[in-house]
Amino acid sequence: MTNATNIMRMSELYVPTLKEDPADAEIASHRLLLRAGMIRKTASGVYTFLPLGKRVLAKVENIVREEMDAIGAQEIMMPALQPAELWYESGRWNDYGPELMRLADRHGHEFCLGPTHEELLTATMRNELRSYKELPLALYQIQVKFRDEIRPRFGLLRSREFIMKDAYSFHADQESLQKTYDDMSAAYERICKRMGLDFRPVEADSGQIGGSVTCEYMALAEAGEAELVHCACGYAANAEAGDCLARPTVYDVSKMEKIATPDVHTIAELAAFLDIPESSTVKALSGKNAEGQLVVMFVPGDHDLNELKAARAAGGFELLTDEDMEAFGLHKGSMGPVGLPQEARVIAARSLQAVPKWVVGANEEGFHYVGARLGEDFDVDEWADLCTVQPGDSCPECGLPLEGARGIEVSQVFQLGDKYSRAMGATFMDEDGEERPFLMGCYGVGISRSMAAIVEQHNDENGISWPLPVAPAHVCVVPLVVGDDFVHPAAEKLAAELSKLGLEVVIDDRKERAGVKFADADLIGWPLQVIVGKRSLSEGKVEIKRRSTGARRDIDLVALRDGLAFTLRNAKTWGNELSLFGQLFE
Amino acid sequence: MTNATNIMRMSELYVPTLKEDPADAEIASHRLLLRAGMIRKTASGVYTFLPLGKRVLAKVENIVREEMDAIGAQEIMMPALQPAELWYESGRWNDYGPELMRLADRHGHEFCLGPTHEELLTATMRNELRSYKELPLALYQIQVKFRDEIRPRFGLLRSREFIMKDAYSFHADQESLQKTYDDMSAAYERICKRMGLDFRPVEADSGQIGGSVTCEYMALAEAGEAELVHCACGYAANAEAGDCLARPTVYDVSKMEKIATPDVHTIAELAAFLDIPESSTVKALSGKNAEGQLVVMFVPGDHDLNELKAARAAGGFELLTDEDMEAFGLHKGSMGPVGLPQEARVIAARSLQAVPKWVVGANEEGFHYVGARLGEDFDVDEWADLCTVQPGDSCPECGLPLEGARGIEVSQVFQLGDKYSRAMGATFMDEDGEERPFLMGCYGVGISRSMAAIVEQHNDENGISWPLPVAPAHVCVVPLVVGDDFVHPAAEKLAAELSKLGLEVVIDDRKERAGVKFADADLIGWPLQVIVGKRSLSEGKVEIKRRSTGARRDIDLVALRDGLAFTLRNAKTWGNELSLFGQLFE
């Protein structure tokens, strides 16, 4: 356990790599972070970071910290324990549901383990940040967070204890909020790029956090939980949140006709029965809004109603139970706009406005209408954006068909407005001496989640391939012989020289077969391997291998050193220089 | 919120200093960290670290991290959430008591919030660390911890959520454990020194953690919770843990005499009644051990029985209730060794062995004996170390009288032996192919507590005086005029130059009176202040002030820059160079 130089030694590092895939690891990042000895599961959705995993985590944290500091945000640290009172004040003690982990202290006082810190920071500020002169202010922390996911899975992608960077800003006016929001957004783009992520900033929905203007940064990956749509023009959105411009098709018949549709209860069955595409049919859904009003919604047959959009359009929207439907005289498999109960409020997807004739249920068991004429046979009370966007829908910016993708949400920016400051009475004195609630923004980066997203994008059948700025070390020197007086000393000397150049170096000084060392190096994912063998060394050469491309070549020892020294001298910002090895070795 | 250079600006920094002392802050560190705008209370014993507080915390963390890395310990990060099962295995789920914060997840599974991580890491290792070849291994983390103190107080000194560095080591044999224990001990001394702490390594008791060999690092401070004794010879101990060599005095009478002592129930009353010092009396305490055996203990009248020592000597020791005493025919205010019940096991403090005649209770209400002769009038079954050490007791190393002091426990090292590995079945294969439990050590540093201890030792009536290596910044440049075209630009230029030298610089660019800036600078405790005023500047000079000594002097601007540049070039390890400013400015 000596560490005379700052070279890491595989003989001492605790890196318990696994040969076999762990049983319950379904996706690449989960499987490979376990196999590479970087994380271990402690409980469902709760992980321990082993030395190499902790190193990667620290790299991600530092990138985030640097970018936050660069835009003038100030680092603080709030506690994980949050008094329940604050969450009662904001109304979220009840709203947050069972994902909020709760406990009582020995005196019976209620606390939660913070999944986010709007309440706590707003409460801290309301007593002290009193004047417009102290605004704007942006504070951030990098801290452990808790969310009791009902089904934790996918390793670090959906865990119950995780590391977040969360930032909060306080403003006197919207212009100032917008400025910080823009600064944060730009920082988030830089953070994603520096981590080596292929990402899209997408339109998002603000969910439980509240507020209105928001954007998610999505790392594109098949393992992602979020469905995205994006367009060559640059537009991208979370399918849940984007503006849905569906393209329904018209089944043209000369007049409205009621047809018997025995055993037809679903859109798929209706389309099959009529031999038309689902996009030519119209789907109906009945529900009640928050005030108990009956609301019937219509969407293109090939689209799904989006719950959040429906609730927003109707003022709450809870689907009717079978009993309720019966009470209203509605038929589950054959609802339509013709002959609805008088009291029904009819809201239809905006994209149906262009469809003059609808294929819909006849509000009669076993019957549908074709050619029901909008404005003649029936009317719609309101048009709204009701659907989850699908690939093939029109881009709201340019009209071309959207493409679909899956993404991992690595970060999100929000304009909260005065949601929390108003609820919690956090005000400041403006220039005219008036008390006003702060405008606030909040900005999150999933630190441990980003680590998983990076692996999802940078892996192959042999293991992880870390981008340089987040790799646990830059170079692994692999002596093929250990303990001799030729190969091993040369490898140690080279490792020391590379370390002196400012590279983070690990040497695989274990007495293992070459195959074991190569397999571990590929599994762990060091960006560059330098292989020191007897034969090439006797010619003054070593072999280098770039993990990302698999490219190998022999290189003169002197050329390696001098080349690296030259490149490092000329790399403007070394941490950013993703292509450093590329410049030198290809 | 721009931050073009890395100079901090008081006009932008969030440092809500307070003019008044907060009501409930009893000790200097609590009061001053609040007043200097470094921490805020979130709940009882739960604090938020504001920007400057977080900076100090990060400095302390980095010192600890560097010293851990230097001895080859590897950083990891374990979760705060720990499954109850692991604590059931070790037996501590019940033993730990109400200080352990507990909660259940949405599925009803029990967890605790880790106050320490022996169980969790032992469980992680038992499945994977299998061979003596991988030993020894030392892992550490810097992480938030939870302990539900019954009466949180003193700010960061006794809080319920706090930051700890905890390290754990695994070994095949005692020699290896001792080696790492010694390495850790040496690292802990360096850590205390680098933080600027006046400290003592003291003999300690291992308490709830378990194990036998242990040492505490105590920062000497009146506010400390621990009582210490120390000697000029170098010996030091926690008064609870040290070997007690009391110096009882003898009240010599010719023969044993029973005297009426009406209304005498306490040692103080007895001593006053007889007009002798308390050290001439003998105190008796009756209790039951774990097996229910009656045990009566005798200690010098001027000393207190130490519960842990008593329990160790008797195999558990619970004081008798008044009812129990009555049942045994014992009298609370007048117990003595003469005429005890037959079944009583008599244990006396070793220092009473040298006292031939005792002043003790007569086991009869209202009567005591003087001159009760040891070995004639009564016998003692066992002699043991039973008392908490007091100032004036003899040093066990050199015999001189010990001095008393109070201390803050900032860190502790333990040899756990196989306590956890045996209980939890964590074994490895030794060189002979035998399965054996690991030997383990554990090593903690209170990070947030160290921060408080530093303030306790480095403050005066005007505020904090941070030692250089942990200061939130090294230098504060104070322009006495802001916004003019002479003083302010010169101050900005100087700040930029000092920053380029590698110093951490803050500039007080607020439009405040000089008095406000001086008061804040002293309260916050920047080690060096550079005051830029119109008159001295017109002579090419600035005033410098060292916070620690209060010394001020005018210095030529060029001399300041060149002097600092020279000193910095020659300071071997800048972070360690406590005396840097001293060399230059005095």
Side-chain angles (χ1 to χ4, degrees), chain A residues 285-296:
Chain A
L285 298 108
S286 57
K288 275 189 288 198
N289 72 6
E291 288 158 10
Q293 182 185 34
L294 174 65
V295 181
V296 182

Side-chain angles (χ1 to χ4, degrees), chain A residues 535-546:
Chain A
R535 197 165 53 191
S536 50
L537 188 63
S538 62
E539 294 165 17
K541 287 176 190 290
V542 291
E543 186 184 30
I544 56 170
K545 174 178 171 184
R546 279 190 73 193

Side-chain angles (χ1 to χ4, degrees), chain A residues 1 12 14 40 46 48-49 54 71 74-77 79-81 105-106 128 148 150 160-161 180, chain B residues 1 12 14 40 46 48-49 54 71 74-77 79-81 105-106 128 148 160-161 180:
Chain A
M1 294 211 295
E12 294 171 355
Y14 186 62
R40 284 299 179 261
V46 180
T48 290
F49 292 81
K54 173 65 187 168
I71 60 168
Q74 300 175 44
E75 189 169 5
I76 61 172
M77 196 175 62
L81 284 172
D105 71 8
R106 66 197 291 160
E128 305 211 51
D148 201 355
I150 189 161
R160 300 201 288 175
E161 178 171 343
T180 297
Chain B
M1 293 207 297
E12 293 170 356
Y14 185 61
R40 284 296 179 264
V46 180
T48 290
F49 291 81
K54 173 65 186 168
I71 60 169
Q74 300 175 44
E75 188 170 4
I76 62 172
M77 195 175 64
L81 284 172
D105 72 7
R106 63 196 293 160
E128 305 209 50
D148 202 355
R160 300 200 289 175
E161 176 170 343
T180 295

Side-chain angles (χ1 to χ4, degrees), chain B residues 176-195:
Chain B
S176 164
L177 170 55
Q178 186 66 44
K179 161 87 170 64
T180 295
Y181 180 88
D182 292 342
D183 286 349
M184 285 280 177
S185 302
Y188 277 27
E189 301 227 357
R190 289 192 297 272
I191 288 167
C192 284
K193 278 183 198 150
R194 289 181 62 181
M195 294 194 295

Side-chain angles (χ1 to χ4, degrees), chain B residues 199-431:
Chain B
F199 72 101
R200 297 280 182 287
V202 304
E203 274 186 27
D205 198 280
S206 58
Q208 258 161 339
I209 299 281
S212 48
V213 180
T214 174
C215 174
E216 287 168 348
Y217 293 80
M218 290 280 186
L220 301 184
E222 266 314 300
E225 298 181 276
E227 289 187 40
L228 313 182
V229 286
H230 59 98
C231 179
C233 79
Y235 174 81
N238 189 318
E240 301 275 334
D243 216 8
C244 176
L245 301 181
R247 302 208 262 202
T249 48
V250 182
Y251 176 50
D252 202 9
V253 293
S254 55
K255 64 176 175 53
M256 183 168 85
E257 198 178 326
K258 188 180 193 174
I259 53 176
T261 50
D263 299 328
V264 166
H265 297 99
T266 64
I267 288 292
E269 287 163 356
L270 179 62
F273 184 87
L274 296 172
D275 196 20
I276 57 175
E278 293 186 6
S279 57
S280 294
T281 68
V282 174
K283 190 185 288 181
L285 296 108
S286 57
K288 275 190 286 197
N289 73 3
E291 288 158 11
Q293 183 185 30
L294 174 65
V295 181
V296 181
M297 298 207 175
F298 294 95
V299 301
D302 61 340
H303 275 68
D304 289 325
L305 182 75
N306 180 287
E307 287 180 31
L308 280 165
K309 291 181 175 182
R312 213 174 288 139
F317 187 75
E318 196 185 336
L319 287 174
L320 294 189
T321 61
D322 290 0
E323 293 76 52
D324 279 347
M325 288 185 67
E326 219 162 296
F328 281 116
L330 293 172
H331 297 273
K332 201 175 184 179
S334 65
M335 269 192 295
V338 184
L340 277 175
Q342 271 292 331
E343 69 263 42
R345 175 173 162 203
V346 176
I347 308 180
R350 216 168 263 135
S351 41
L352 290 172
Q353 233 169 335
V355 181
K357 296 177 183 171
W358 293 17
V359 176
V360 284
N363 291 319
E364 190 180 338
E365 183 64 32
F367 289 90
H368 280 79
Y369 286 118
V370 296
R373 290 162 304 174
L374 172 63
E376 299 188 37
D377 300 318
F378 66 94
D379 276 313
V380 166
D381 298 324
E382 296 155 50
W383 301 95
D385 181 19
L386 294 180
C387 297
T388 300
V389 187
Q390 290 182 8
D393 289 351
S394 297
C395 171
E397 307 261 310
C398 75
L400 285 175
L402 291 167
E403 299 206 46
R406 300 192 70 85
I408 297 165
E409 185 202 328
V410 290
S411 49
Q412 190 164 8
V413 291
F414 293 97
Q415 293 190 20
L416 296 170
D418 63 4
K419 178 182 155 97
Y420 292 90
S421 52
R422 190 173 289 275
M424 299 181 71
T427 59
F428 69 98
M429 186 90 71
D430 72 11
E431 287 182 67

